[in-house]
Amino acid sequence: MKKIILSLAVLALLVVSCNLDEEPKGVIPRDNAIKTVEDAEGWMRYEYIYMRAYSAGSYVYRTEIASDFFNPVLDYGNRQGDAYRWDWNSGSEFTDLWAGAYSGINHACFVIETVENMDKSEFDSDELKRLNKVLGVAHFTKAYLGLKLLEYYAPVYNSSNAGKYGIMLVDLHRPTGDINSYPGRSTVAESYEWVKTELEQAGTYLASYAGTPGADEITVDVVNAFKARLALYMGDYDKAISLSTALVDGGKYPLCETAAEMKNLWTNDSGQECILQLFSDANSTPSTLDPTYYGLSAGKYRPDWIINKWVASTLYNPTDLRFQTWFQTGVTVTVSIGTASGMTLMNKFPGNSALATSETAHLQKIKPFRIAEQYLIAAEAFARKGGADAVACQYLDKLGTKRDPSYINVTLTGDALIEYIKDEWAREFIGEGYRWFCLKRWGDGMQRTAPQLAALVHTGGSNAAALLMNVTASDYHWLEPIPADEISSNPQIREQQNPGY
């Protein structure tokens, strides 16, 4: 996609026509795109589509496959194989995020500029409140997509990386062919501050929109949950603690306590535990989160991806509700050369029947903010702050006692506590797209260990090296490549490609 930063969102917005007295057919002119509150709300709905798109599908499962959770079976057909082998490049699927995210940011910028410049003199208080919501969602969209870009394309936030390349910061919607006006990449520090500022603005506009469990729109609680995540990323542990504990201790978002509640959350999208669960219905379905982890078809199990031995055998207690509801044990897997019995498969995303299509049944409403994350943010922030290990353990216990009836309270300290917290992130968010970014954020690298059954795993060609792959924290692949089209068309970024590409 050429000139990615200037891509227009959703509708073509023309500022010049060949005949100035006539509007081109089939096109909404820029100055007439938003005239009413209803117009603004219509444009706002597209922002949710952007957020949903980049919180599902390959943007989630490719990073899970690149981590230490899964191995490919013999017949997987090389689907997502480059992610598993860490051999992607500037032309790979990972780079699609760059174009789409900037399209969404441009869309939000257009909405903000246009709504701010509307004549509001005749609007009543309810209409003004609705416009504040439009502005709040637009600023949140910029922050949300901005952090997605940072996770993929920039180093983690710390003092050593502050001056390195972050992302391009876009605050004005200016469609133009003038390549000299294209932005370059700002620093990591500037980029994170930009996301933080956008979130602050979102919170101001959405202050009167209280959160509710299972909300399908951005509320002030969603903003605060995102602020807590950002604060943890930025090492602002006091702020992370303040925001996350307020959400947890308030009791508004109760955790599932039974297998039935857990199943209802992940099969029927009950909304329990969800600070935000993005809207979907049969006419507006999300991308699947399951690249064939389960693979049940015509009574036979033919998955492309099977969980690693450490996940199947040691990560969970057998009594853990997550293990009982997200995994199936004792499965016989069928491949072209025969069968393998006694396997454990993940079925965290069984599919909501209300969303099922002829193509796939593994469709769930997307849950980008669950209250469980806030427990782990609180625990990690207390542990990393120093001198508060006991309080960190309390938040782990609050989560753990709901997840496992056999849970034993944690009494760890120091490095052992941090390692336990890391495992809890893995237990809670497997399959949801957290693992690769957590490993990157922690600077741990990635080490794959033995599979459930070596004979079942595809080890042909370069997959052999990937089976027990050890990726150090300094490997250049932790930064995704800036798309080749962007490098070639934007002179400001031409010398700003990430190392190794």
Side-chain angles (χ1 to χ4, degrees):
M1 180 183 292
K2 296 294 184 183
K3 302 176 184 175
I4 290 170
I5 188 63
L6 299 172
S7 59
L8 301 186
V10 185
L11 300 176
L13 303 172
L14 295 189
V15 286
V16 179
S17 171
C18 293
N19 186 337
L20 298 181
D21 295 324
E22 296 180 5
E23 300 291 2
K25 294 180 180 180
V27 176
I28 298 178
R30 177 188 176 98
D31 293 340
N32 291 327
I34 301 178
K35 289 294 188 181
T36 67
V37 175
E38 289 75 17
D39 290 341
E41 290 173 331
W43 281 77
M44 177 183 70
R45 283 189 281 275
Y46 281 103
E47 289 160 11
Y48 284 102
I49 294 174
Y50 278 110
M51 285 186 277
R52 190 179 70 187
Y54 295 105
S55 304
S58 63
Y59 299 115
V60 171
Y61 58 68
R62 280 180 66 86
T63 56
E64 294 291 281
I65 287 168
S67 75
D68 52 352
F69 281 153
F70 300 98
N71 295 116
V73 301
L74 289 168
D75 302 330
Y76 86 117
N78 200 36
R79 288 176 285 274
Q80 313 305 328
D82 64 327
Y84 178 68
R85 295 185 298 271
W86 288 60
D87 61 5
W88 54 80
N89 54 53
S90 61
S92 74
E93 185 178 346
F94 269 126
T95 63
D96 291 345
L97 175 68
W98 181 275
Y102 276 113
S103 178
I105 290 170
N106 267 292
H107 180 282
C109 287
F110 172 76
V111 171
I112 292 168
E113 291 176 48
T114 308
V115 171
E116 285 180 342
N117 291 326
M118 290 174 70
D119 180 1
K120 306 178 184 67
S121 59
E122 301 297 323
F123 291 163
D124 61 28
S125 59
D126 178 68
E127 289 173 316
L128 292 172
K129 180 182 177 182
R130 288 160 61 191
L131 286 178
N132 277 345
K133 184 176 187 178
V134 170
L135 290 169
V137 172
H139 283 290
F140 185 90
T141 301
K142 290 176 68 178
Y144 189 76
L145 296 177
L147 190 60
K148 287 285 184 186
L149 289 164
L150 283 167
E151 287 180 320
Y152 279 93
Y153 298 104
V156 296
Y157 183 96
N158 59 40
S159 58
S160 298
N161 292 332
K164 295 180 181 178
Y165 288 130
I167 59 174
M168 302 185 302
L169 306 183
V170 181
D171 290 312
L172 297 174
H173 182 266
R174 292 292 179 266
T176 176
D178 179 10
I179 62 175
N180 294 315
S181 69
Y182 297 177
R185 297 174 71 182
S186 296
T187 67
V188 168
E190 291 166 341
S191 299
Y192 271 88
E193 285 299 324
W194 179 83
V195 172
K196 184 178 177 181
T197 298
E198 292 297 328
L199 269 182
E200 292 296 336
Q201 291 178 287
T204 298
Y205 284 117
L206 294 168
S208 61
Y209 288 92
T212 57
D216 60 8
E217 294 187 328
I218 308 301
T219 67
V220 70
D221 284 353
V222 177
V223 174
N224 287 335
F226 194 15
K227 286 181 179 179
R229 181 187 295 176
L230 182 67
L232 183 68
Y233 282 16
M234 297 180 71
D236 187 349
Y237 299 130
D238 286 333
K239 186 170 185 178
I241 288 166
S242 174
L243 290 163
S244 61
T245 56
L247 288 165
V248 168
D249 297 343
K252 186 187 294 186
Y253 302 95
L255 292 163
C256 296
E257 296 188 55
T258 66
E261 288 182 343
M262 186 73 80
K263 184 176 180 179
N264 197 30
L265 170 61
W266 288 102
T267 302
N268 301 316
D269 298 322
S270 68
Q272 186 173 349
E273 299 195 3
C274 295
I275 305 172
L276 176 67
Q277 180 174 255
L278 291 169
F279 173 80
S280 295
D281 65 14
N283 298 313
S284 179
T285 57
S287 297
T288 182
L289 297 174
D290 184 343
T292 320
Y293 295 135
Y294 198 54
L296 177 61
S297 178
K300 294 184 178 181
Y301 293 91
R302 300 177 182 273
D304 280 350
W305 298 92
I306 188 169
I307 57 171
N308 208 302
K309 184 177 180 180
W310 76 282
V311 177
S313 303
T314 63
L315 183 59
Y316 298 90
N317 288 330
T319 53
D320 195 310
L321 295 180
R322 296 168 294 196
F323 187 72
Q324 292 182 345
T325 57
W326 298 346
F327 300 88
Q328 185 169 337
T329 59
V331 175
T332 297
V333 172
T334 300
V335 293
S336 57
I337 63 172
T339 61
S341 61
M343 298 295 101
T344 299
L345 301 182
M346 190 177 83
N347 193 27
K348 189 174 185 178
F349 314 112
N352 185 334
S353 60
L355 304 178
T357 70
S358 59
E359 286 77 28
T360 179
H362 290 268
L363 299 178
Q364 310 291 153
K365 292 184 178 181
I366 305 305
K367 304 165 177 57
F369 293 96
R370 293 197 291 115
I371 193 62
E373 180 188 11
Q374 302 303 309
Y375 284 85
L376 294 177
I377 288 173
E380 184 171 342
F382 274 119
R384 294 193 183 279
K385 179 181 177 180
D389 286 355
V391 185
C393 290
Q394 290 174 15
Y395 281 91
L396 292 172
D397 293 342
K398 289 178 181 181
L399 177 62
T401 53
K402 299 295 186 182
R403 295 299 192 229
D404 185 355
S406 301
Y407 179 84
I408 299 173
N409 285 351
V410 178
T411 57
L412 301 171
T413 60
D415 291 343
L417 175 59
I418 292 294
E419 290 304 312
Y420 185 93
I421 292 170
K422 291 177 180 179
D423 284 345
E424 193 60 27
W425 278 103
R427 279 188 282 271
E428 184 63 39
F429 289 105
I430 186 171
E432 294 182 62
Y434 283 67
R435 181 62 172 176
W436 193 82
F437 299 110
C438 280
L439 293 172
K440 176 178 177 177
R441 176 168 64 84
W442 296 328
D444 283 354
M446 192 280 294
Q447 173 68 69
R448 291 202 185 107
T449 53
Q452 287 189 62
L453 181 64
L456 186 62
V457 175
H458 192 297
T459 56
S462 55
N463 280 349
L467 179 65
L468 301 177
M469 176 180 280
N470 180 14
V471 182
T472 66
S474 61
D475 191 287
Y476 72 89
H477 288 92
W478 291 106
L479 300 180
E480 300 303 333
I482 307 301
D485 282 345
E486 181 72 10
I487 293 293
S488 64
S489 63
N490 182 352
Q492 276 65 253
I493 208 171
R494 197 158 293 155
E495 303 301 323
Q496 297 179 347
Q497 177 62 279
N498 282 328
Y501 303 102

